[in-house]
Structures are given as structure tokens and as C-alpha cells.
Amino acid sequence: MTEPSSHPYLDIAAEVRDALARNQAVVALESTIICHGMPWPRNAETAHRVEAAVRDGGAIPATIAILGGRLKVGLSEDEIQQLGERGQAVAKTSRRDIPFMVARGEDGATTVAATMIIAAMAGIRIMATGGIGGVHRGVEETMDISADLEELARTNIAVVCAGIKSVLDIGRTLEYLE
């Protein structure tokens, strides 16, 4: 059996911890989609439906966020509702933002990159999301490349998704991934 990771800033929900200890399938889910992807109440409804779909597939869902500076793996229905209601008032949190959110005791909606990092800390090896970030249009001027791409190379997590977000420069993102 695999023992879930222990870290002083990491809170793993009991259901997720038990599933990991029994080597059951656990799927990490990001929380940025809840706060920054859709309006209330559709955001929370969608998050609950995604968790239900994971359960229907035989796995345990582990929605990930930072709440009060704590790295949370597996949110309660109330926590998802609260994130949904607060929406964009919750900071979009990527790799570079994690230490600041923890140090300040703030709430953060995790991007794919941040979700991968926290999931790996908990011992989760698979994550599902709608789409990953990539190379932004106009990169020649902005140098805006999502941390998701670097995290795919760094963190040992399988990311299942529909592909690259369509608002991005798909051709350059594919080239970057090569």
C-alpha cells in the first residue's frame, strides 16, 4: 500500500487519504475553473458534476485549492460552494504563487501547474482538467507562456485533458511541447 505524503502545510481529506492508503484510484481536479472559469452558480454545479463523474468512473475525486494558507487536497461540498460564490475574488494561483499564499494565509484557486504540485505532494498520480495552458498569442512581445507546460516536464503526474485551451497559440504551444 502507498502511504499518503505528510507535509506541515498539506491537508488531505479523510476520504482521499484512505483511498491513497488503500492504493485506490484518486483523480486530482483543479480549482481555477471554479473561481475564474464560470459564473456563480454554474461554477459550483459544474465542479460537483465533475466530481460525480470521477466517482462514476470508480475513482475518488480530489479537488485541490489553497484555503487559509493550507494546501487542501479534497474539498468538501461547502468549500466548493464558497469558492464558487467568491469567484474571481479568490486569487488564481500557479507554481510561483504557492509560497506567498501559504505565508499570507490566503485562499487560492489552483491552476493546472499548482494542482500538479500539490497532488504530487499528496501522492496522487493522475489529474483531469478541461484544458492546459500554453503559449499565449503575441508571445514575441509578452513572453507569456503558461507554467503548466514547464510543470508537465517537472512533476510526475499524468494530466488527462481535452488539449490546449483554444484561446492560446496552439501551433506554438505544440512546438514548445516538442
Side-chain angles (χ1 to χ4, degrees):
M1 286 191 208
T2 303
E3 185 61 31
S5 179
S6 173
H7 188 280
Y9 297 104
L10 184 67
D11 296 333
I12 305 174
E15 178 185 34
V16 174
R17 181 176 292 284
D18 292 345
L20 289 169
R22 291 192 311 272
N23 211 24
Q24 291 181 294
V26 176
V27 177
L29 303 167
E30 51 125 335
S31 53
T32 294
I33 190 71
I34 300 169
C35 297
H36 296 267
M38 292 178 237
W40 168 260
R42 176 164 281 160
N43 53 4
E45 292 166 357
T46 301
H48 292 307
R49 282 198 305 267
V50 170
E51 284 198 346
V54 170
R55 287 185 194 287
D56 290 347
I60 302 299
T63 301
I64 293 177
I66 300 173
L67 300 177
R70 305 289 303 166
L71 309 176
K72 305 287 273 186
V73 178
L75 301 182
S76 69
E77 286 187 29
D78 286 344
E79 289 167 330
I80 290 173
Q81 289 294 117
Q82 290 169 11
L83 285 174
E85 288 176 15
R86 291 184 56 214
Q88 293 187 9
V90 178
K92 184 175 181 180
T93 304
S94 191
R95 162 182 267 287
R96 69 176 184 214
D97 309 305
I98 295 171
F100 299 104
M101 302 307 286
V102 170
R104 294 178 184 154
E106 294 182 9
D107 296 342
T110 56
T111 63
V112 169
T115 301
M116 289 174 68
I117 293 164
I118 297 168
M121 289 173 67
I124 298 171
R125 297 289 170 230
I126 191 162
M127 176 192 167
T129 188
I132 61 169
V135 176
H136 289 251
R137 296 179 194 276
V139 70
E140 305 87 358
E141 295 173 16
T142 65
M143 299 302 290
D144 193 355
I145 299 173
S146 172
D148 296 355
L149 299 180
E150 287 296 318
E151 214 54 54
L152 288 169
R154 283 188 179 132
T155 304
N156 191 20
I157 297 280
V159 177
V160 178
C161 67
I164 302 152
K165 293 175 185 163
S166 62
V167 298
L168 301 172
D169 188 326
I170 295 173
R172 284 202 169 110
T173 301
L174 291 172
E175 185 177 349
Y176 186 94
L177 287 170
E178 285 179 14

mmCIF file of all heavy atoms in Angstrom, residues 126-173:
data_model
loop_
_atom_site.group_PDB
_atom_site.id
_atom_site.type_symbol
_atom_site.label_atom_id
_atom_site.label_comp_id
_atom_site.label_asym_id
_atom_site.label_seq_id
_atom_site.Cartn_x
_atom_site.Cartn_y
_atom_site.Cartn_z
ATOM 1 N N ILE A 126 -2.572 11.166 -10.921
ATOM 2 C CA ILE A 126 -3.349 11.486 -12.113
ATOM 3 C C ILE A 126 -4.219 12.708 -11.846
ATOM 4 O O ILE A 126 -4.712 12.891 -10.736
ATOM 5 C CB ILE A 126 -4.186 10.286 -12.601
ATOM 6 C CG1 ILE A 126 -4.769 10.564 -13.979
ATOM 7 C CG2 ILE A 126 -5.264 9.926 -11.603
ATOM 8 C CD1 ILE A 126 -5.223 9.324 -14.718
ATOM 9 N N MET A 127 -4.366 13.521 -12.866
ATOM 10 C CA MET A 127 -5.151 14.737 -12.760
ATOM 11 C C MET A 127 -5.989 14.883 -14.019
ATOM 12 O O MET A 127 -5.552 14.494 -15.105
ATOM 13 C CB MET A 127 -4.202 15.928 -12.637
ATOM 14 C CG MET A 127 -4.905 17.238 -12.613
ATOM 15 S SD MET A 127 -3.762 18.597 -12.813
ATOM 16 C CE MET A 127 -4.965 19.853 -13.124
ATOM 17 N N ALA A 128 -7.183 15.428 -13.864
ATOM 18 C CA ALA A 128 -8.042 15.712 -15.023
ATOM 19 C C ALA A 128 -8.384 17.193 -15.039
ATOM 20 O O ALA A 128 -8.593 17.806 -13.993
ATOM 21 C CB ALA A 128 -9.317 14.878 -14.942
ATOM 22 N N THR A 129 -8.423 17.755 -16.240
ATOM 23 C CA THR A 129 -8.788 19.153 -16.418
ATOM 24 C C THR A 129 -9.360 19.328 -17.810
ATOM 25 O O THR A 129 -9.159 18.474 -18.681
ATOM 26 C CB THR A 129 -7.572 20.082 -16.200
ATOM 27 O OG1 THR A 129 -8.017 21.437 -16.205
ATOM 28 C CG2 THR A 129 -6.502 19.874 -17.243
ATOM 29 N N GLY A 130 -10.045 20.433 -18.033
ATOM 30 C CA GLY A 130 -10.597 20.701 -19.357
ATOM 31 C C GLY A 130 -9.507 20.957 -20.368
ATOM 32 O O GLY A 130 -9.461 20.357 -21.433
ATOM 33 N N GLY A 131 -8.607 21.866 -20.051
ATOM 34 C CA GLY A 131 -7.529 22.207 -20.973
ATOM 35 C C GLY A 131 -6.342 22.753 -20.220
ATOM 36 O O GLY A 131 -6.480 23.343 -19.154
ATOM 37 N N ILE A 132 -5.168 22.547 -20.780
ATOM 38 C CA ILE A 132 -3.951 23.071 -20.156
ATOM 39 C C ILE A 132 -3.620 24.430 -20.749
ATOM 40 O O ILE A 132 -4.049 24.766 -21.850
ATOM 41 C CB ILE A 132 -2.750 22.113 -20.330
ATOM 42 C CG1 ILE A 132 -2.428 21.897 -21.818
ATOM 43 C CG2 ILE A 132 -3.012 20.800 -19.612
ATOM 44 C CD1 ILE A 132 -1.108 21.191 -22.070
ATOM 45 N N GLY A 133 -2.832 25.197 -20.001
ATOM 46 C CA GLY A 133 -2.331 26.465 -20.507
ATOM 47 C C GLY A 133 -1.228 26.205 -21.515
ATOM 48 O O GLY A 133 -0.766 25.082 -21.683
ATOM 49 N N GLY A 134 -0.825 27.250 -22.198
ATOM 50 C CA GLY A 134 0.203 27.077 -23.216
ATOM 51 C C GLY A 134 0.862 28.391 -23.560
ATOM 52 O O GLY A 134 0.945 29.303 -22.732
ATOM 53 N N VAL A 135 1.308 28.497 -24.781
ATOM 54 C CA VAL A 135 1.953 29.699 -25.284
ATOM 55 C C VAL A 135 0.841 30.667 -25.700
ATOM 56 O O VAL A 135 -0.039 30.312 -26.481
ATOM 57 C CB VAL A 135 2.878 29.382 -26.475
ATOM 58 C CG1 VAL A 135 3.473 30.671 -27.048
ATOM 59 C CG2 VAL A 135 3.970 28.405 -26.055
ATOM 60 N N HIS A 136 0.893 31.879 -25.172
ATOM 61 C CA HIS A 136 -0.138 32.875 -25.477
ATOM 62 C C HIS A 136 0.146 33.548 -26.809
ATOM 63 O O HIS A 136 1.299 33.673 -27.232
ATOM 64 C CB HIS A 136 -0.206 33.920 -24.358
ATOM 65 C CG HIS A 136 -0.790 33.371 -23.104
ATOM 66 N ND1 HIS A 136 -2.039 33.729 -22.645
ATOM 67 C CD2 HIS A 136 -0.319 32.454 -22.223
ATOM 68 C CE1 HIS A 136 -2.308 33.074 -21.530
ATOM 69 N NE2 HIS A 136 -1.274 32.293 -21.255
ATOM 70 N N ARG A 137 -0.925 33.985 -27.439
ATOM 71 C CA ARG A 137 -0.782 34.733 -28.695
ATOM 72 C C ARG A 137 0.023 36.013 -28.402
ATOM 73 O O ARG A 137 -0.124 36.602 -27.355
ATOM 74 C CB ARG A 137 -2.154 35.084 -29.258
ATOM 75 C CG ARG A 137 -2.949 33.843 -29.641
ATOM 76 C CD ARG A 137 -4.330 34.207 -30.171
ATOM 77 N NE ARG A 137 -5.192 33.048 -30.220
ATOM 78 C CZ ARG A 137 -5.235 32.164 -31.208
ATOM 79 N NH1 ARG A 137 -4.437 32.318 -32.243
ATOM 80 N NH2 ARG A 137 -6.056 31.130 -31.165
ATOM 81 N N GLY A 138 0.878 36.395 -29.330
ATOM 82 C CA GLY A 138 1.708 37.581 -29.132
ATOM 83 C C GLY A 138 2.888 37.335 -28.213
ATOM 84 O O GLY A 138 3.453 38.265 -27.641
ATOM 85 N N VAL A 139 3.288 36.081 -28.075
ATOM 86 C CA VAL A 139 4.382 35.723 -27.171
ATOM 87 C C VAL A 139 5.677 36.467 -27.495
ATOM 88 O O VAL A 139 6.502 36.704 -26.610
ATOM 89 C CB VAL A 139 4.611 34.189 -27.157
ATOM 90 C CG1 VAL A 139 5.207 33.707 -28.471
ATOM 91 C CG2 VAL A 139 5.459 33.771 -25.969
ATOM 92 N N GLU A 140 5.819 36.876 -28.746
ATOM 93 C CA GLU A 140 7.038 37.599 -29.141
ATOM 94 C C GLU A 140 7.205 38.878 -28.338
ATOM 95 O O GLU A 140 8.317 39.313 -28.068
ATOM 96 C CB GLU A 140 6.998 37.975 -30.634
ATOM 97 C CG GLU A 140 6.771 36.838 -31.573
ATOM 98 C CD GLU A 140 5.274 36.536 -31.791
ATOM 99 O OE1 GLU A 140 4.393 37.185 -31.192
ATOM 100 O OE2 GLU A 140 4.995 35.617 -32.565
ATOM 101 N N GLU A 141 6.084 39.477 -27.936
ATOM 102 C CA GLU A 141 6.129 40.726 -27.181
ATOM 103 C C GLU A 141 5.933 40.518 -25.683
ATOM 104 O O GLU A 141 6.505 41.238 -24.877
ATOM 105 C CB GLU A 141 5.076 41.696 -27.713
ATOM 106 C CG GLU A 141 5.354 42.123 -29.136
ATOM 107 C CD GLU A 141 4.228 42.958 -29.724
ATOM 108 O OE1 GLU A 141 3.385 43.455 -28.962
ATOM 109 O OE2 GLU A 141 4.208 43.101 -30.961
ATOM 110 N N THR A 142 5.112 39.542 -25.326
ATOM 111 C CA THR A 142 4.748 39.373 -23.913
ATOM 112 C C THR A 142 5.576 38.324 -23.176
ATOM 113 O O THR A 142 5.652 38.350 -21.948
ATOM 114 C CB THR A 142 3.274 38.956 -23.784
ATOM 115 O OG1 THR A 142 3.108 37.655 -24.372
ATOM 116 C CG2 THR A 142 2.354 39.965 -24.436
ATOM 117 N N MET A 143 6.130 37.384 -23.917
ATOM 118 C CA MET A 143 6.841 36.232 -23.334
ATOM 119 C C MET A 143 5.931 35.447 -22.381
ATOM 120 O O MET A 143 6.400 34.825 -21.434
ATOM 121 C CB MET A 143 8.127 36.683 -22.607
ATOM 122 C CG MET A 143 9.130 37.372 -23.518
ATOM 123 S SD MET A 143 9.656 36.355 -24.919
ATOM 124 C CE MET A 143 10.621 35.126 -24.090
ATOM 125 N N ASP A 144 4.628 35.461 -22.656
ATOM 126 C CA ASP A 144 3.640 34.822 -21.779
ATOM 127 C C ASP A 144 3.464 33.356 -22.163
ATOM 128 O O ASP A 144 2.826 33.025 -23.162
ATOM 129 C CB ASP A 144 2.307 35.569 -21.866
ATOM 130 C CG ASP A 144 1.339 35.178 -20.764
ATOM 131 O OD1 ASP A 144 1.647 34.257 -19.976
ATOM 132 O OD2 ASP A 144 0.272 35.803 -20.676
ATOM 133 N N ILE A 145 4.066 32.499 -21.352
ATOM 134 C CA ILE A 145 3.984 31.051 -21.538
ATOM 135 C C ILE A 145 3.533 30.464 -20.207
ATOM 136 O O ILE A 145 4.126 30.732 -19.161
ATOM 137 C CB ILE A 145 5.338 30.456 -21.961
ATOM 138 C CG1 ILE A 145 5.780 31.074 -23.290
ATOM 139 C CG2 ILE A 145 5.257 28.939 -22.049
ATOM 140 C CD1 ILE A 145 7.184 30.693 -23.719
ATOM 141 N N SER A 146 2.485 29.682 -20.238
ATOM 142 C CA SER A 146 1.913 29.109 -19.020
ATOM 143 C C SER A 146 2.903 28.217 -18.286
ATOM 144 O O SER A 146 3.634 27.420 -18.898
ATOM 145 C CB SER A 146 0.668 28.289 -19.371
ATOM 146 O OG SER A 146 0.209 27.585 -18.238
ATOM 147 N N ALA A 147 2.886 28.317 -16.976
ATOM 148 C CA ALA A 147 3.698 27.440 -16.130
ATOM 149 C C ALA A 147 3.242 25.987 -16.252
ATOM 150 O O ALA A 147 4.000 25.078 -15.899
ATOM 151 C CB ALA A 147 3.614 27.898 -14.673
ATOM 152 N N ASP A 148 2.039 25.764 -16.760
ATOM 153 C CA ASP A 148 1.553 24.391 -16.952
ATOM 154 C C ASP A 148 2.527 23.588 -17.806
ATOM 155 O O ASP A 148 2.778 22.405 -17.536
ATOM 156 C CB ASP A 148 0.183 24.368 -17.638
ATOM 157 C CG ASP A 148 -0.932 25.002 -16.831
ATOM 158 O OD1 ASP A 148 -0.699 25.406 -15.664
ATOM 159 O OD2 ASP A 148 -2.052 25.100 -17.369
ATOM 160 N N LEU A 149 3.082 24.210 -18.840
ATOM 161 C CA LEU A 149 3.967 23.492 -19.753
ATOM 162 C C LEU A 149 5.247 23.037 -19.066
ATOM 163 O O LEU A 149 5.697 21.907 -19.267
ATOM 164 C CB LEU A 149 4.294 24.370 -20.969
ATOM 165 C CG LEU A 149 3.096 24.796 -21.816
ATOM 166 C CD1 LEU A 149 3.551 25.658 -22.981
ATOM 167 C CD2 LEU A 149 2.291 23.602 -22.284
ATOM 168 N N GLU A 150 5.840 23.894 -18.264
ATOM 169 C CA GLU A 150 7.047 23.509 -17.521
ATOM 170 C C GLU A 150 6.732 22.433 -16.485
ATOM 171 O O GLU A 150 7.522 21.523 -16.267
ATOM 172 C CB GLU A 150 7.667 24.732 -16.839
ATOM 173 C CG GLU A 150 8.352 25.674 -17.778
ATOM 174 C CD GLU A 150 9.558 25.053 -18.467
ATOM 175 O OE1 GLU A 150 10.345 24.338 -17.806
ATOM 176 O OE2 GLU A 150 9.701 25.276 -19.680
ATOM 177 N N GLU A 151 5.566 22.552 -15.873
ATOM 178 C CA GLU A 151 5.197 21.584 -14.823
ATOM 179 C C GLU A 151 5.008 20.192 -15.404
ATOM 180 O O GLU A 151 5.295 19.190 -14.738
ATOM 181 C CB GLU A 151 3.935 22.043 -14.086
ATOM 182 C CG GLU A 151 3.926 21.668 -12.641
ATOM 183 C CD GLU A 151 5.165 22.130 -11.891
ATOM 184 O OE1 GLU A 151 5.503 23.321 -11.928
ATOM 185 O OE2 GLU A 151 5.798 21.271 -11.232
ATOM 186 N N LEU A 152 4.521 20.117 -16.635
ATOM 187 C CA LEU A 152 4.381 18.806 -17.284
ATOM 188 C C LEU A 152 5.729 18.094 -17.381
ATOM 189 O O LEU A 152 5.797 16.868 -17.320
ATOM 190 C CB LEU A 152 3.780 18.968 -18.679
ATOM 191 C CG LEU A 152 2.301 19.341 -18.733
ATOM 192 C CD1 LEU A 152 1.904 19.742 -20.149
ATOM 193 C CD2 LEU A 152 1.425 18.215 -18.217
ATOM 194 N N ALA A 153 6.811 18.859 -17.515
ATOM 195 C CA ALA A 153 8.146 18.277 -17.595
ATOM 196 C C ALA A 153 8.737 17.985 -16.219
ATOM 197 O O ALA A 153 9.581 17.101 -16.083
ATOM 198 C CB ALA A 153 9.074 19.224 -18.362
ATOM 199 N N ARG A 154 8.298 18.694 -15.191
ATOM 200 C CA ARG A 154 8.891 18.594 -13.853
ATOM 201 C C ARG A 154 8.228 17.582 -12.936
ATOM 202 O O ARG A 154 8.894 16.959 -12.118
ATOM 203 C CB ARG A 154 8.781 19.942 -13.137
ATOM 204 C CG ARG A 154 9.727 20.965 -13.547
ATOM 205 C CD ARG A 154 9.596 22.152 -12.585
ATOM 206 N NE ARG A 154 10.551 23.162 -12.957
ATOM 207 C CZ ARG A 154 10.279 24.432 -13.089
ATOM 208 N NH1 ARG A 154 9.071 24.875 -12.848
ATOM 209 N NH2 ARG A 154 11.214 25.275 -13.428
ATOM 210 N N THR A 155 6.910 17.510 -12.994
ATOM 211 C CA THR A 155 6.152 16.797 -11.967
ATOM 212 C C THR A 155 5.574 15.509 -12.539
ATOM 213 O O THR A 155 4.956 15.508 -13.594
ATOM 214 C CB THR A 155 5.020 17.709 -11.434
ATOM 215 O OG1 THR A 155 5.621 18.913 -10.963
ATOM 216 C CG2 THR A 155 4.284 17.054 -10.286
ATOM 217 N N ASN A 156 5.779 14.426 -11.801
ATOM 218 C CA ASN A 156 5.380 13.100 -12.249
ATOM 219 C C ASN A 156 3.886 12.868 -12.019
ATOM 220 O O ASN A 156 3.482 12.124 -11.135
ATOM 221 C CB ASN A 156 6.211 12.034 -11.527
ATOM 222 C CG ASN A 156 6.019 10.667 -12.136
ATOM 223 O OD1 ASN A 156 5.578 10.546 -13.278
ATOM 224 N ND2 ASN A 156 6.345 9.646 -11.378
ATOM 225 N N ILE A 157 3.091 13.556 -12.827
ATOM 226 C CA ILE A 157 1.627 13.451 -12.772
ATOM 227 C C ILE A 157 1.145 13.273 -14.206
ATOM 228 O O ILE A 157 1.570 14.000 -15.103
ATOM 229 C CB ILE A 157 0.994 14.750 -12.198
ATOM 230 C CG1 ILE A 157 1.430 14.995 -10.763
ATOM 231 C CG2 ILE A 157 -0.516 14.730 -12.322
ATOM 232 C CD1 ILE A 157 0.709 14.197 -9.730
ATOM 233 N N ALA A 158 0.234 12.333 -14.421
ATOM 234 C CA ALA A 158 -0.402 12.194 -15.726
ATOM 235 C C ALA A 158 -1.571 13.175 -15.769
ATOM 236 O O ALA A 158 -2.434 13.148 -14.890
ATOM 237 C CB ALA A 158 -0.892 10.770 -15.932
ATOM 238 N N VAL A 159 -1.591 14.042 -16.767
ATOM 239 C CA VAL A 159 -2.649 15.037 -16.905
ATOM 240 C C VAL A 159 -3.539 14.630 -18.081
ATOM 241 O O VAL A 159 -3.086 14.577 -19.219
ATOM 242 C CB VAL A 159 -2.084 16.457 -17.116
ATOM 243 C CG1 VAL A 159 -3.208 17.461 -17.323
ATOM 244 C CG2 VAL A 159 -1.207 16.849 -15.929
ATOM 245 N N VAL A 160 -4.792 14.344 -17.770
ATOM 246 C CA VAL A 160 -5.776 13.986 -18.787
ATOM 247 C C VAL A 160 -6.594 15.238 -19.080
ATOM 248 O O VAL A 160 -7.148 15.841 -18.157
ATOM 249 C CB VAL A 160 -6.694 12.848 -18.287
ATOM 250 C CG1 VAL A 160 -7.746 12.504 -19.326
ATOM 251 C CG2 VAL A 160 -5.866 11.627 -17.898
ATOM 252 N N CYS A 161 -6.621 15.644 -20.360
ATOM 253 C CA CYS A 161 -7.336 16.866 -20.722
ATOM 254 C C CYS A 161 -7.796 16.803 -22.160
ATOM 255 O O CYS A 161 -7.418 15.898 -22.905
ATOM 256 C CB CYS A 161 -6.447 18.086 -20.498
ATOM 257 S SG CYS A 161 -5.031 18.177 -21.617
ATOM 258 N N ALA A 162 -8.587 17.793 -22.551
ATOM 259 C CA ALA A 162 -9.069 17.883 -23.926
ATOM 260 C C ALA A 162 -8.004 18.476 -24.840
ATOM 261 O O ALA A 162 -8.159 18.451 -26.052
ATOM 262 C CB ALA A 162 -10.340 18.730 -23.977
ATOM 263 N N GLY A 163 -6.947 19.031 -24.280
ATOM 264 C CA GLY A 163 -5.872 19.631 -25.069
ATOM 265 C C GLY A 163 -5.517 21.000 -24.538
ATOM 266 O O GLY A 163 -5.729 21.318 -23.374
ATOM 267 N N ILE A 164 -4.994 21.807 -25.423
ATOM 268 C CA ILE A 164 -4.563 23.160 -25.086
ATOM 269 C C ILE A 164 -5.776 24.080 -25.196
ATOM 270 O O ILE A 164 -6.590 23.932 -26.100
ATOM 271 C CB ILE A 164 -3.462 23.604 -26.070
ATOM 272 C CG1 ILE A 164 -2.287 22.613 -26.012
ATOM 273 C CG2 ILE A 164 -3.011 25.024 -25.793
ATOM 274 C CD1 ILE A 164 -1.507 22.526 -27.292
ATOM 275 N N LYS A 165 -5.895 25.030 -24.282
ATOM 276 C CA LYS A 165 -7.014 25.974 -24.343
ATOM 277 C C LYS A 165 -7.022 26.677 -25.695
ATOM 278 O O LYS A 165 -5.989 27.154 -26.170
ATOM 279 C CB LYS A 165 -6.904 26.979 -23.195
ATOM 280 C CG LYS A 165 -7.109 26.316 -21.847
ATOM 281 C CD LYS A 165 -6.887 27.269 -20.703
ATOM 282 C CE LYS A 165 -6.991 26.492 -19.389
ATOM 283 N NZ LYS A 165 -6.425 27.204 -18.283
ATOM 284 N N SER A 166 -8.192 26.747 -26.303
ATOM 285 C CA SER A 166 -8.310 27.225 -27.686
ATOM 286 C C SER A 166 -7.977 28.698 -27.869
ATOM 287 O O SER A 166 -7.719 29.131 -28.992
ATOM 288 C CB SER A 166 -9.713 26.941 -28.207
ATOM 289 O OG SER A 166 -10.671 27.641 -27.449
ATOM 290 N N VAL A 167 -7.959 29.495 -26.803
ATOM 291 C CA VAL A 167 -7.638 30.915 -26.932
ATOM 292 C C VAL A 167 -6.133 31.144 -27.066
ATOM 293 O O VAL A 167 -5.698 32.263 -27.311
ATOM 294 C CB VAL A 167 -8.181 31.737 -25.736
ATOM 295 C CG1 VAL A 167 -9.692 31.652 -25.672
ATOM 296 C CG2 VAL A 167 -7.542 31.296 -24.434
ATOM 297 N N LEU A 168 -5.350 30.095 -26.937
ATOM 298 C CA LEU A 168 -3.893 30.209 -26.974
ATOM 299 C C LEU A 168 -3.362 29.979 -28.386
ATOM 300 O O LEU A 168 -4.103 29.633 -29.298
ATOM 301 C CB LEU A 168 -3.279 29.210 -25.994
ATOM 302 C CG LEU A 168 -3.726 29.400 -24.544
ATOM 303 C CD1 LEU A 168 -3.239 28.265 -23.680
ATOM 304 C CD2 LEU A 168 -3.246 30.728 -24.002
ATOM 305 N N ASP A 169 -2.072 30.145 -28.539
ATOM 306 C CA ASP A 169 -1.407 29.881 -29.814
ATOM 307 C C ASP A 169 -1.097 28.385 -29.837
ATOM 308 O O ASP A 169 -0.074 27.932 -29.301
ATOM 309 C CB ASP A 169 -0.131 30.725 -29.915
ATOM 310 C CG ASP A 169 0.521 30.646 -31.279
ATOM 311 O OD1 ASP A 169 0.461 29.561 -31.912
ATOM 312 O OD2 ASP A 169 1.092 31.658 -31.701
ATOM 313 N N ILE A 170 -1.987 27.634 -30.451
ATOM 314 C CA ILE A 170 -1.887 26.173 -30.418
ATOM 315 C C ILE A 170 -0.632 25.690 -31.138
ATOM 316 O O ILE A 170 0.092 24.826 -30.633
ATOM 317 C CB ILE A 170 -3.161 25.524 -30.986
ATOM 318 C CG1 ILE A 170 -4.339 25.860 -30.049
ATOM 319 C CG2 ILE A 170 -2.989 24.006 -31.119
ATOM 320 C CD1 ILE A 170 -5.689 25.438 -30.551
ATOM 321 N N GLY A 171 -0.340 26.247 -32.295
ATOM 322 C CA GLY A 171 0.848 25.838 -33.039
ATOM 323 C C GLY A 171 2.130 26.047 -32.246
ATOM 324 O O GLY A 171 2.976 25.154 -32.162
ATOM 325 N N ARG A 172 2.270 27.223 -31.648
ATOM 326 C CA ARG A 172 3.480 27.498 -30.856
ATOM 327 C C ARG A 172 3.522 26.642 -29.582
ATOM 328 O O ARG A 172 4.589 26.259 -29.123
ATOM 329 C CB ARG A 172 3.565 28.984 -30.519
ATOM 330 C CG ARG A 172 4.015 29.786 -31.720
ATOM 331 C CD ARG A 172 4.600 31.106 -31.304
ATOM 332 N NE ARG A 172 5.250 31.728 -32.436
ATOM 333 C CZ ARG A 172 4.798 32.809 -33.052
ATOM 334 N NH1 ARG A 172 3.690 33.394 -32.624
ATOM 335 N NH2 ARG A 172 5.436 33.314 -34.072
ATOM 336 N N THR A 173 2.346 26.368 -29.023
ATOM 337 C CA THR A 173 2.311 25.505 -27.836
ATOM 338 C C THR A 173 2.772 24.105 -28.193
ATOM 339 O O THR A 173 3.577 23.502 -27.467
ATOM 340 C CB THR A 173 0.906 25.473 -27.213
ATOM 341 O OG1 THR A 173 0.524 26.802 -26.844
ATOM 342 C CG2 THR A 173 0.873 24.590 -25.979
#
